[in-house]
C-alpha cells in the first residue's frame, strides 16, 4: 500500500494564533488515519478563519524555499516515510482546510525573506513545545529548526510539491480498504484475489484465450448456453420441476438447446408447447433412477447405457426427423477411389473383444408399428437419385450411383470350414398364418420409369450375380431350399418382348433334375444340338433341323420309342420331305405287328421280309429279288461293280448340271473323308477334307489349308481368303506364307484407308528373329531393337532418338518470318527455326528468341 504523508505544522503568528496545518490524501471513504494503531485522542485543531488563509499560504510558501538537504540527524528515506505515515491529524475540518491550502500552495512559489524565515523558526519552536506538552505516544517527525526553504523532500517525491504529494496520497489504496465493501480485493503472494465477489457481474466482459477473440459481456456468454437452472429448477426428486422447464421453453427461441443439470427430475405436469426445444440432459434421472427417455414432443439428447442417445417420446403430425445429417459435395477433383461419406461407423471386434457367444450388430434399425391404415412404414430407406438436369452441363455420362451397397469380406484366405461362416446380407420374414393374396414378400425388386408420361425406360438386368475375378466360384448360384406350394420359380406372369426367352441358361450349360446332376439337359453350341444326358451317356439329341437321335443305355429291356394310348396314326411321316422315311441299321428289323412275327430287315447284304421263321421275300444288293413261292424275278437295278466307272455322268446341254435347290436339306452334297471335289475336267484343281483339314490343291500341291481351330495356311497365293479367323491356339500363326512370291501380302487392291491394323502393344517384326520391331504402346509409336527403344514418337508429335539424326542432305530447319517466329505460342526451350529475314538460325531460350551467329566457310 502506498504510504500516506501527513505533515502537521504548528504555526504561531503575532496574534498568538496556533494553527495546525495537516496535509494528507486518501483514495476511498475510509482514510488510513482510521487504522487501529492511530485510534487515539488528539486535541481538536482550531478552525482557521478564512481571512488567515492567505497569510498562512504566504508564510508556508516561504518556509520551503531555500535549503535542499536535511540535517544529519534526519531519519533515512524509509524511516522518514514511516514517520510521515504515522503523522495523522484527526480533525476533519482542519484536515479539509489544510488540504485546500496544501493543494493550492506550491512548494516554492515566492522568494524567501528574512521575516518569513524568522516566523517559521518561531512556529517550529512553538510546535516543539506543544508536542512536548501533549501526553501522546505519537509525535510527528520534523527537521531541526522546522521546515524552511532549505528542507529537502525525500528522493521518492523529488520534483513534487507538497500539494502533489498530498494528491498522490489521496489516490492511494488504504490498508483499511482491503476486502471491505466498496473497497478492494486482497491479493495473495501469487497475485490471486481471495475475497468473494458479490452482486451482478454479468455486465463484466471476458474474452477467450484464442488468438483474435474479442471480449464480450458475460451475459452474452451465459445466454448462449441457457440452463434450466437459470429458471429455478430444483432437481431434488420431490419438487415440481415442470414450471421451471416450461419457463425455460418460453424464454428461448424455437429450436434452442437448454441444458438440464445433473439431479433427479420430477414433473407433476407434462410439458405443453408447440415450439420444439432440444433438451441436453447431463446425468439427470427420474426418481426411480431410470434414465429420461421422453419430454413430450421435444427431442432430448443424453447418454444412455454409455452411448449417445437422441429420442422423442411423443409425436405430432408432420414433425421433422429426430436427427438429420446433410452433406453437400461441391468440390471438384480429389483422389481416385476415395470414398466420401455423410456418416461412417467403424466397429472393430478383436479376437478377445467379445464373449464367445456375443451378438454384436454394428448398426441396428428397429421399427415397431401397429398402425391402422394404408400408409407405409419403412425400417430403413435409401434413395440414390440422378436429377433431371444432371446432363445439362454437357460433360457426358455421369458417375455410378448405388442406392445401397453391402460387402462382407473374409481376408483370412482359408476355407469357410476353418475361418467360419459369413453372409453378405440376410433378409428374414417372420409371420404366422396363410398369405392368400401374396402380400408377404421376402425381397421385392420393382422396375419402373421415372415418370408415367415419359418414354419407356429399361433396366439391363433385374438381378445380376457375377464375380469380380476369373477364378472364384459359387457353390450354388441360387439356392431355393425352402418349401413351396405354387412354384419354385414362377415366370408365368412375365411378359416376354421380342420373343425373349423366359429362362436362358446359355450354351454348353446343364439343366439338372436331381441332386446328383446325372439326368440333365445341355445345349451343344458346336453341334447346335439339344442333348439329354444321363451321367455321361447322351440318351437324346435334337438337332438344329429337328432331327432326333436317341441312345439306349439299357440293352436288356429298354425301348427306344414307345407309344401308348389311342391315336389315329402311331407315327406319321407323310409330311416329312425326305427320301428316307426311316433308317435301320444292318441286322435290325422292322416289325409289322405286336408279336414281331412279321418283320422286314437287312442283313448279310440282303433285304429280307419274313413271317415267323419263314422267309417270304429277299432282295439282294444287285437288285435280284427272290420269292420263295414264285419263279418270277423282279426288274434288275444297276449295281456298281466297276470302280473306274462314274456313278453319274451328265452329258449334253443343260442349264444346270446338278440341281439341288428343291432339296429341303442343309446338305446338298456329302462326300466321304478323303474324297475330293474336282473343279475342272482334268481334276487338277480339287477340294477335299482329310486328316482334320479342309484343303484346296492344284496338281496335288496344297495351296490353302484350314484346320479345325480356324487357322488358315496359304501357299503362294495372291488372294485373300476373305475370312475372319478366331484363333484358339495361342502357339499357332494366324496366317503363314511359305514359298516364293513377288509380294508377301498385297493390299493395293483393297479399298479401305486401314491397310493393316494392330492391337495396342502388338508389334511388327522386320526380320525372322523379331529383333527389329515397330509397335505402339502407352509411350507412343516405338522402333526397337529387342527391348531397347531406338526411336519413339508420342501423341504430341515429339520424337525421341536413342542415336543421332544423320540425313543425307543435312538437317533442314523450318524457315519462318520474324513475325511468325515471335508469334509462336509458348515454344519450349531448345526449339530452333531459320529466320528468313536475318538469314540465320534462331533458338528459343529462357531469355527469349536468340539469333545464332554464323561465319562463312573458308
Amino acid at each position: 500500500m502506498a504510504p500516506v504523508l501527513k505533515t502537521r505544522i504548528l504555526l504561531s503568528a503575532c496574534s498568538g494564533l496556533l494553527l495546525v496545518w495537516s496535509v494528507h490524501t486518501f483514495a476511498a471513504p475510509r482514510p488510513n488515519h482510521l487504522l487501529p494503531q492511530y485510534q487515539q485522542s488528539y486535541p481538536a485543531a482550531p478552525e482557521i478563519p478564512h481571512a488567515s488563509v492567505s497569510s498562512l499560504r504566504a508564510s508556508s510558501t516561504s518556509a520551503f524555499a531555500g535549503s535542499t538537504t536535511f540535517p544529519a540527524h534526519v531519519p533515512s528515506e524509509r524511516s522518514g516515510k514511516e514517520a510521515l505515515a504515522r503523522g495523522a491529524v484527526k480533525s476533519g475540518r482542519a484536515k479539509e482546510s489544510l488540504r485546500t491550502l496544501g493543494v493550492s500552495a506550491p512548494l516554492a512559489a515566492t522568494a524567501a525573506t528574512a521575516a518569513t524565515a524568522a516566523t517559521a523558526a518561531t512556529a517550529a519552536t512553538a510546535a516543539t513545545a506543544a508536542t512536548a506538552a501533549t501526553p501522546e505516544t505519537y509525535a510527528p517527525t520534523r527537521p531541526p529548526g522546522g521546515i524552511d526553504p532549505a528542507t529537502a523532500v525525500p528522493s521518492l517525491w523529488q520534483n513534487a510539491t507538497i500539494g502533489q504529494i498530498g494528491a498522490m496520497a489521496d489516490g492511494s489504496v488504504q490498508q483499511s480498504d482491503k476486502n471491505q465493501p466498496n473497497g478492494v480485493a486482497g491479493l495473495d503472494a501469487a497475485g490471486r484475489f481471495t475475497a468473494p465477489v458479490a452482486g451482478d457481474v454479468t455486465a463484466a466482459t471476458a474474452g477467450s484465450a484464442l488468438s483474435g477473440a474479442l471480449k464480450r459481456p458475460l451475459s452474452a456468454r451465459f445466454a448462449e448456453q441457457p440452463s434450466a437452472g437459470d429458471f429455478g429448477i430444483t432437481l431434488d426428486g420431490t419438487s415440481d420441476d415442470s414450471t421451471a422447464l416450461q419457463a425455460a421453453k418460453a424464454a428461448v427461441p424455437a429450436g434452442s438447446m437448454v441444458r438440464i443439470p445433473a439431479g433427479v427430475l420430477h414433473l407433476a405436469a407434462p410439458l405443453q408447447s408447440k415450439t420444439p426445444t432440444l433438451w441436453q440432459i447431463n446425468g439427470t434421472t427420474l426418481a426411480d433412477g431410470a434414465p429420461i427417455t421422453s419430454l413430450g414432443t421435444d427431442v432430448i439428447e443424453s447418454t444412455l447405457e454409455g452411448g449417445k442417445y437422441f429420442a422423442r417420446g411423443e409425436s405430432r403430425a408432420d414433425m421433422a426427423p429426430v436427427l438429420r445429417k446433410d452433406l453437400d459435395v461441391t468440390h471438384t477433383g480429389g483422389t481416385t477411389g476415395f470414398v466420401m461419406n455423410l456418416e461412417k461407423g467403424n466397429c472393430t471386434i478383436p479376437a478377445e473383444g467379445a464373449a464367445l457367444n456375443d451378438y454384436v450388430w454394428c448398426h441396428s434399425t428397429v421399427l415397431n408399428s401397429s398402425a391402422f391404415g394404408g400408409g407405409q412404414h419403412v425400417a430403413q430407406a435409401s434413395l440414390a437419385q440422378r436429377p433431371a438436369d444432371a446432363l445439362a452441363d454437357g460433360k457426358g455420362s455421369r458417375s455410378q450411383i448405388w442406392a445401397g451397397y453391402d460387402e462382407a469380406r473374409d481376408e483370412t484366405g482359408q476355407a469357410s470350414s476353418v475361418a467360419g461362416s459369413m453372409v453378405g446380407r440376410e433378409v428374414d420374414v417372420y409371420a404366422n398364418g396363410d398369405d392368400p393374396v401374396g402380400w408377404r414378400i421376402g425381397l421385392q425388386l420393382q422396375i419402373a420409369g421415372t415418370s408415367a408420361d415419359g418414354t419407356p425406360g429399361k433396366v439391363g438386368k433385374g438381378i445380376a450375380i457375377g464375380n469380380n475375378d476369373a477364378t472364384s466360384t459359387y457353390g450354388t448360384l441360387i439356392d431355393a431350399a425352402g418349401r413351396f406350394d405354387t412354384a419354385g420359380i414362377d415366370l408365368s406372369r412375365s411378359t416376354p418382348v421380342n420373343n425373349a426367352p423366359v429362362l436362358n441358361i446359355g450354351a454348353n450349360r446343364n439343366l439338372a433334375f436331381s441332386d446328383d446332376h446325372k439326368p440333365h439337359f445341355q445345349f451343344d453350341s458346336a453341334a447346335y444340338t439339344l442333348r439329354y444326358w444321363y451321367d455321361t451317356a447322351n440318351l437324346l439329341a435334337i438337332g438344329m433341323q429337328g432331327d432326333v437321335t436317341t441312345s439306349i443305355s439299357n440293352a436288356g429291356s429298354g425301348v427306344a420309342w414307345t407309344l401308348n394310348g389311342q391315336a389315329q396314326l402311331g407315327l406319321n411321316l407323310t409330311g416329312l420331305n425326305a427320301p428316307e422315311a426311316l433308317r435301320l441299321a444292318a441286322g435290325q428289323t422292322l416289325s409289322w405287328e405286336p408279336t414281331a412275327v412279321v418283320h422286314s430287315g437287312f442283313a448279310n447284304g440282303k433285304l429280307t421280309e419274313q413271317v415267323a421263321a419263314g422267309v417270304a421275300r429277299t432282295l439282294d444288293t444287285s437288285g435280284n429279288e427272290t420269292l420263295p413261292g414264285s419263279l418270277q424275278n423282279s426288274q434288275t437295278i444297276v449295281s456298281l461293280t466297276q470302280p473306274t466307272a462314274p456313278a453319274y455322268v451328265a452329258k449334253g446341254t443343260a442349264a444346270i448340271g446338278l440341281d439341288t435347290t428343291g432339296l429341303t436339306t442343309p446338305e446338298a452334297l456329302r462326300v466321304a473323308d478323303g474324297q475330293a471335289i474336282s473343279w475342272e475336267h482334268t481334276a487338277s484343281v480339287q477340294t477335299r477334307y482329310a486328316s482334320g483339314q479342309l484343303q484346296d490343291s492344284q496338281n496335288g500341291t496344297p495351296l490353302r489349308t484350314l484346320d479345325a481351330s480356324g487357322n488358315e495356311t496359304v501357299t503362294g497365293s495372291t488372294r485373300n481368303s476373305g475370312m475372319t479367323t478366331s484363333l484358339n491356339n495361342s502357339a499357332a500363326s494366324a496366317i503363314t506364307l511359305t514359298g516364293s512370291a513377288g509380294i508377301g501380302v498385297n493390299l493395293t487392291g483393297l479399298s479401305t484407308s486401314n491397310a493393316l491394323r494392330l492391337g495396342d502393344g502388338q508389334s511388327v517384326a522386320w526380320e525372322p528373329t523379331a529383333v527389329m520391331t515397330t509397335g505402339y504402346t502407352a509411350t507412343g509409336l516405338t522402333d526397337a531393337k529387342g527391348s531397347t527403344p531406338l526411336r519413339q514418337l508420342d501423341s504430341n508429335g515429339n520424337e525421341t532418338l536413342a542415336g543421332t539424326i544423320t540425313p543425307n542432305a543435312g538437317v533442314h530447319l523450318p524457315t519462318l518470318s520474324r513475325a511468325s517466329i515471335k508469334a509462336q505460342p509458348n515454344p519450349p526451350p531448345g526449339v530452333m527455326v531459320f529466320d528468313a529475314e536475318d538469314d540465320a538460325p534462331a533458338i528459343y531460350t529462357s531469355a527469349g528468341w536468340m539469333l545464332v551467329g554464323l561465319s562463312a566457310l573458308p
Side-chain angles (χ1 to χ4, degrees):
M1 303 286 283
V4 178
L5 173 62
K6 295 188 177 181
T7 306
R8 177 180 296 170
I9 304 175
L10 183 62
L11 301 176
S12 176
C14 295
S15 62
L17 176 63
L18 179 61
L19 178 63
V20 179
W21 181 20
S22 175
V23 180
H24 62 101
T25 61
F26 58 93
R30 293 179 57 83
N32 63 355
H33 67 266
L34 295 181
L35 292 176
Q37 60 266 38
Y38 300 141
Q39 300 302 309
Q40 303 173 23
S41 61
Y42 294 96
E47 183 177 355
I48 303 175
H50 182 72
S52 303
V53 173
S54 59
S55 60
L56 179 60
R57 181 181 300 167
S59 62
S60 63
T61 302
S62 62
F64 284 91
S67 175
T68 57
T69 60
F70 283 108
H73 65 276
V74 174
S76 65
E77 180 179 342
R78 180 177 181 183
S79 62
K81 295 176 184 177
E82 294 172 353
L84 290 174
R86 289 194 299 269
V89 178
K90 189 173 182 68
S91 173
R93 296 175 61 187
K95 171 183 64 177
E96 292 298 330
S97 301
L98 293 179
R99 180 185 295 120
T100 305
L101 294 175
V103 170
S104 62
L107 186 59
T110 62
T113 62
T116 56
T119 302
T122 304
T125 303
T128 303
T131 303
T134 303
E136 297 174 348
T137 58
Y138 166 73
T141 301
R142 301 184 180 86
I147 299 177
D148 56 23
T151 302
V153 179
S155 60
L156 177 63
W157 300 302
Q158 198 72 33
N159 301 325
T161 67
I162 290 296
Q164 291 170 334
I165 294 172
M168 285 189 288
D170 272 346
S172 63
V173 178
Q174 310 303 316
Q175 289 288 341
S176 58
D177 300 333
K178 180 178 180 181
N179 297 332
Q180 296 299 321
N182 296 322
V184 296
L187 301 179
D188 59 13
R192 297 184 295 262
F193 75 88
T194 58
V197 178
D200 184 8
V201 296
T202 58
T205 60
S208 171
L210 299 176
S211 176
L214 302 177
K215 289 186 177 181
R216 296 186 295 149
L218 292 178
S219 59
R221 295 294 298 269
F222 293 153
E224 291 176 353
Q225 297 178 341
S227 171
D230 299 335
F231 299 90
I233 194 170
T234 59
L235 297 175
D236 57 7
T238 58
S239 302
D240 182 16
D241 295 320
S242 59
T243 302
L245 294 187
Q246 201 71 51
K249 283 182 64 67
V252 299
S256 298
M257 181 186 72
V258 180
R259 292 187 174 183
I260 300 180
V264 180
L265 183 69
H266 172 64
L267 296 179
L271 297 183
Q272 300 293 332
S273 178
K274 293 184 179 180
T275 59
T277 301
L278 173 61
W279 300 97
Q280 189 177 61
I281 303 176
N282 299 302
T284 312
T285 64
L286 299 175
D288 58 357
I292 300 174
T293 59
S294 174
L295 282 178
T297 60
D298 286 341
V299 175
I300 63 173
E301 173 189 356
S302 67
T303 56
L304 181 63
E305 300 175 349
K308 196 67 173 177
Y309 179 73
F310 290 88
R312 177 190 287 132
E314 301 175 13
S315 68
R316 63 175 182 270
D318 303 327
M319 294 196 73
V322 173
L323 178 64
R324 171 172 173 163
K325 302 176 183 179
D326 291 313
L327 171 64
D328 290 336
V329 181
T330 59
H331 69 278
T332 58
T335 304
T336 301
F338 178 79
V339 179
M340 179 170 291
N341 299 281
L342 169 61
E343 180 181 0
K344 182 175 182 179
N346 292 320
C347 177
T348 302
I349 306 174
E352 298 180 358
L356 181 63
N357 295 321
D358 270 1
Y359 290 82
V360 180
W361 295 25
C362 291
H363 184 81
S364 176
T365 301
V366 178
L367 169 67
N368 289 293
S369 175
S370 56
F372 172 82
Q376 292 184 349
H377 306 263
V378 182
Q380 188 170 349
S382 298
L383 171 65
Q385 177 172 313
R386 182 177 291 117
D389 60 349
L391 301 175
D393 55 11
K395 293 183 178 180
S397 178
R398 305 292 98 171
S399 301
Q400 297 182 26
I401 55 175
W402 296 18
Y405 173 75
D406 294 297
E407 178 176 333
R409 301 176 67 94
D410 186 341
E411 299 182 350
T412 62
Q414 300 297 320
S416 61
S417 59
V418 176
S421 65
M422 182 173 65
V423 179
R425 168 159 289 213
E426 177 178 344
V427 179
D428 294 331
V429 177
Y430 296 97
N432 290 341
D434 196 13
D435 183 22
V437 292
W439 283 354
R440 296 172 187 160
I441 302 173
L443 178 63
Q444 176 169 321
L445 181 64
Q446 202 71 26
I447 308 298
T450 56
S451 62
D453 56 350
T455 58
K458 183 176 182 179
V459 173
K461 300 174 182 178
I463 298 176
I465 304 176
N467 296 82
N468 285 335
D469 57 64
T471 56
S472 300
T473 60
Y474 293 90
T476 300
L477 203 59
I478 297 177
D479 184 1
R483 301 171 62 235
F484 60 91
D485 60 6
T486 302
I489 298 176
D490 187 0
L491 300 173
S492 61
R493 291 179 296 169
S494 62
T495 304
V497 179
N498 297 330
N499 201 30
V502 294
L503 180 63
N504 186 2
I505 63 174
N508 303 316
R509 294 184 174 94
N510 299 335
L511 180 61
F513 297 96
S514 68
D515 289 341
D516 59 7
H517 303 163
K518 288 186 177 181
H520 61 273
F521 269 118
Q522 180 195 64
F523 180 75
D524 185 350
S525 62
Y528 227 74
T529 299
L530 179 63
R531 302 182 186 277
Y532 174 75
W533 298 77
Y534 185 84
D535 203 1
T536 59
N538 185 196
L539 304 183
L540 175 68
I542 304 176
M544 61 182 297
Q545 299 299 328
D547 50 300
V548 178
T549 302
T550 61
S551 176
I552 307 302
S553 58
N554 188 349
S557 60
V559 179
W561 194 282
T562 300
L563 295 178
N564 294 320
Q566 296 179 353
Q568 183 178 8
L569 296 175
L571 181 63
N572 188 354
L573 301 178
T574 59
L576 183 64
N577 189 6
E580 276 187 294
L582 185 65
R583 175 179 290 184
L584 303 175
Q588 294 179 341
T589 61
L590 177 62
S591 297
W592 298 103
E593 36 76 52
T595 63
V597 173
V598 181
H599 59 264
S600 299
F602 182 81
N604 300 321
K606 295 179 180 180
L607 179 62
T608 301
E609 295 177 342
Q610 66 181 36
V611 177
V615 177
R617 183 171 57 182
T618 301
L619 182 67
D620 62 18
T621 56
S622 298
N624 302 309
E625 184 178 28
T626 302
L627 298 175
S630 172
L631 298 178
Q632 182 180 354
N633 199 352
S634 67
Q635 179 182 354
T636 302
I637 297 177
V638 176
S639 174
L640 302 179
T641 58
Q642 175 56 268
T644 59
Y648 177 78
V649 178
K651 295 182 178 182
T653 302
I656 300 174
L658 181 62
D659 189 357
T660 59
T661 57
L663 186 63
T664 58
T665 174
E667 276 189 295
L669 181 65
R670 174 178 290 184
V671 295
D673 192 316
Q675 291 181 341
I677 296 177
S678 299
W679 299 103
E680 37 74 59
H681 65 284
T682 63
S684 297
V685 182
Q686 296 182 348
T687 298
R688 75 180 66 234
Y689 183 80
S691 303
Q693 293 181 332
L694 182 64
Q695 190 178 83
D696 293 333
S697 63
Q698 184 171 6
N699 298 323
T701 302
L703 302 179
R704 181 171 59 185
T705 303
L706 183 69
D707 63 16
S709 297
N711 301 310
E712 185 179 30
T713 302
V714 180
T715 303
S717 175
T718 59
R719 300 181 181 86
N720 190 290
S721 65
M723 297 178 62
T724 299
T725 60
S726 177
L727 303 181
N728 298 320
N729 186 353
S730 60
S733 301
I735 297 176
T736 301
L737 301 179
T738 59
S740 300
I743 300 175
V745 177
N746 189 351
L747 303 178
T748 58
L750 187 63
S751 58
T752 176
S753 58
N754 274 346
L756 183 64
R757 175 174 291 180
L758 302 178
D760 192 353
Q762 294 178 341
S763 62
V764 175
W766 299 104
E767 35 79 54
T769 62
V771 172
M772 301 299 295
T773 60
T774 296
Y776 183 83
T777 62
T779 58
L781 185 61
T782 303
D783 293 333
K785 182 178 181 180
S787 59
T788 302
L790 301 180
R791 179 172 59 184
Q792 291 180 319
L793 184 68
D794 65 14
S795 57
N796 293 323
N798 301 311
E799 186 175 30
T800 303
L801 298 178
T804 60
I805 300 176
T806 312
N808 293 333
V811 177
H812 181 76
L813 299 176
T815 301
L816 301 174
S817 65
R818 175 73 58 82
S820 298
I821 295 175
K822 290 184 175 182
Q824 294 295 319
N826 301 321
V831 172
M832 182 177 290
V833 297
F834 192 84
D835 189 343
E837 298 176 18
D838 291 291
D839 198 27
I843 186 170
Y844 187 80
T845 67
S846 59
W849 286 100
M850 299 292 181
L851 284 174
V852 178
L854 301 176
S855 59
L857 289 173

